[in-house]
Amino acid sequence: MKKIMLLIFFILISNAIYSQSYIGTITKQVNFREGSSSDDNIISSLKPKTQIFIVSLETENDYYNVIDIATDREGYVHKSYVKVGKLVSKSNESVFIPSGQTSNYNSDVKIFNNTSKTLTLKLNTELYHFSPYETKNINLTPGEYDFRASAPGVIPYIGTENLNSNQGYSWEFYISSSYR
């Protein structure tokens, strides 16, 4: 029984570690690719000391899924060229502010990009792009959403939101100059 409990504990710990995101740096010039193989198209070449956002320590063919923070481009780099740095904690704060009841069963989310940068918002697996100062209304099925908001030159902001049915929400994306 103790062995089973210990095994379950290690599985839970390893899942928690792999689901975390980190800031990293490139150690040697490396090809930044569209996929997790040396056969995939090259997006660009990343130079040593380039700062990246590592989506997860889980690899695919020994490649990390990363975001080049300077350009906000997402792709893959081989893990042997990455130095893993500081953990990026998920936000515990709700960013989607309830704005009132709606007659629509789905959740209506009004998002305003209040910056001069292009915003990329990932909700679970769906990507949304917002031009500077653009507002969009998104209709989402109620439920839990992992989110990642990013822009060129900005460390991505990550968290989880729970959206209720018949509820409107709003969110204003802005850039804070402090990082906790």
Side-chain angles (χ1 to χ4, degrees), residues 100-119:
Q101 295 293 111
T102 65
S103 59
N104 185 355
Y105 171 77
N106 286 342
S107 303
D108 291 322
V109 182
K110 181 178 182 178
I111 299 171
F112 173 49
N113 177 14
N114 191 11
T115 73
S116 60
K117 298 178 179 275
T118 299
L119 163 66

Side-chain angles (χ1 to χ4, degrees), residues 42-82:
I42 297 171
I43 297 169
S44 67
S45 180
L46 298 179
K47 295 180 179 178
K49 299 184 182 179
T50 298
Q51 191 175 41
I52 57 172
F53 176 85
I54 305 166
V55 175
S56 166
L57 292 182
E58 189 172 340
T59 61
E60 188 176 323
N61 298 326
D62 287 334
Y63 281 76
Y64 286 131
N65 179 205
V66 304
I67 295 174
D68 173 14
I69 293 174
T71 63
D72 194 33
R73 295 282 312 262
E74 186 170 358
Y76 293 82
V77 294
H78 195 275
K79 71 178 187 177
S80 62
Y81 298 98
V82 174

